[in-house]
Each structure stands twice: as C-alpha cells, then as structure tokens.
Amino acid sequence: MITLVLGGTRSGKSEVAESLAAAIPGGPVTYVATGAATDDDMAARIAAHRARRPASWTTVEAGADLPAALGPLPAAGVVVVDSLGTWVAAGAELAPDVDGLCAALRAREGDTIVVSDEVGLGVHATTDVGLRFADALGELNRAVADIAERVLLVVAGRVLPLERATATHPRTS
C-alpha cells in the first residue's frame, strides 16, 4: 500500500509517517532520507529526525536519484520516504523524475509511506525559482496521490484523510 502524507512546515507530517510505519507489523522499516545538511538549521532538523527513529530502522540516503534508491530496497517491509520537497529542491532544474518515482513506488510489494510538503496552501511565491518549485512539487504530489491508496493531510499535528476527487460535483445553491 502506498500512503502519501502531506503537510506544511513543522506540521508533524514526518512524525505521522513514522508512527504509521511503526504500527505496521512484521518486517523491517527502511527510512529513505532525501535531505542533506546544507546549513545548521537543516543539520538540526536531520538530527531530530534521526533521534526519533528506532535504532532498528535502516536509513538510506537517497541522493538525487530517488527512484534508483528505491529499486534495490527489500520488496517486503515498510519504506518511509522523507521527503519529496527536499528531493525536488535538490534536483537539477527543479525537474523531478515523476514517472520514474511513480514506477518505483508501484513496483514495491511492501508498504510505502511518502512524506511531502503541501506548498499550495501558503503564500504565493514571489520569485521565479519559488514558483517553479511550487509547481514542480504540486505536480509531483498529484501524481503520487493518484497512485496512492491513502492520502493524509497533517495540519497542526492533526490528521485529515483526503478523498479522491470525483468526476462530478453536486451543484449547490
């Protein structure tokens, strides 16, 4: 099963994903990290994430090629990918391999929990690179949501399940 966990900065999305992974019985958990310590703040965030995870979990540093990093992982067991936002930001030209990632996620037999930033609810970006990042991540989030069996939105530590959009909506007056 693929689960997408969306949320804003400091919303609790990673903790939710980690709790979901810990609750799935039988099998190892592999944590696929996409972030790199580019400054002191990011280093502190990474350290906090590491400190929260059980020692029995394996950590894989994905680097720029997240689909390739998912390929050699064990078919069984749980994988947590944290997070798509840092993967997009680190990629060349803010052009993630959406098709490659979706194919790698679909190819897994075990449960996969994907964490991503929801950037569409914030202030409209004022720079070209900010706009391109929001567009790229928004499109990636939609593609992963399309293949996910479950999508959750985390707001202020609270979890809201999101339903698939319907083709027709009832008219309201």
Side-chain angles (χ1 to χ4, degrees):
M1 175 185 340
I2 299 170
T3 300
L4 176 60
V5 180
L6 298 165
T9 302
R10 304 275 188 186
S11 64
K13 62 191 175 291
S14 293
E15 289 103 325
V16 167
E18 292 161 6
S19 294
L20 291 170
I24 297 171
V29 176
T30 303
Y31 187 95
V32 179
T34 64
T38 55
D39 58 30
D40 290 342
D41 179 62
M42 190 63 169
R45 288 175 188 242
I46 290 170
H49 280 233
R50 282 186 184 138
R52 256 195 335 255
R53 293 194 297 268
S56 62
W57 289 16
T58 301
T59 299
V60 172
E61 302 289 338
D65 197 350
L66 179 56
L70 291 171
L73 296 179
V78 180
V79 168
V80 176
V81 176
D82 195 1
S83 91
L84 296 184
T86 53
W87 178 57
V88 170
E93 302 298 317
L94 299 173
D97 182 3
V98 175
D99 293 337
L101 178 62
C102 288
L105 291 171
R106 275 192 237 106
R108 291 206 72 255
E109 293 176 25
D111 290 295
T112 307
I113 302 164
V114 181
V115 179
S116 190
D117 302 282
E118 175 48 67
V119 293
L121 300 175
V123 176
H124 186 73
T126 58
T127 64
D128 179 58
V129 72
L131 290 169
R132 289 186 330 177
F133 172 78
D135 287 347
L137 186 56
E139 290 171 14
L140 178 59
N141 285 345
R142 285 187 68 172
V144 174
D146 283 346
I147 65 167
E149 288 85 3
R150 177 171 59 170
V151 179
L152 305 173
L153 176 64
V154 182
V155 178
R158 303 298 175 110
V159 179
L160 302 167
L162 301 180
E163 301 295 324
R164 290 191 186 276
T166 57
T168 59
H169 296 281
R171 294 181 182 242
T172 57
S173 352

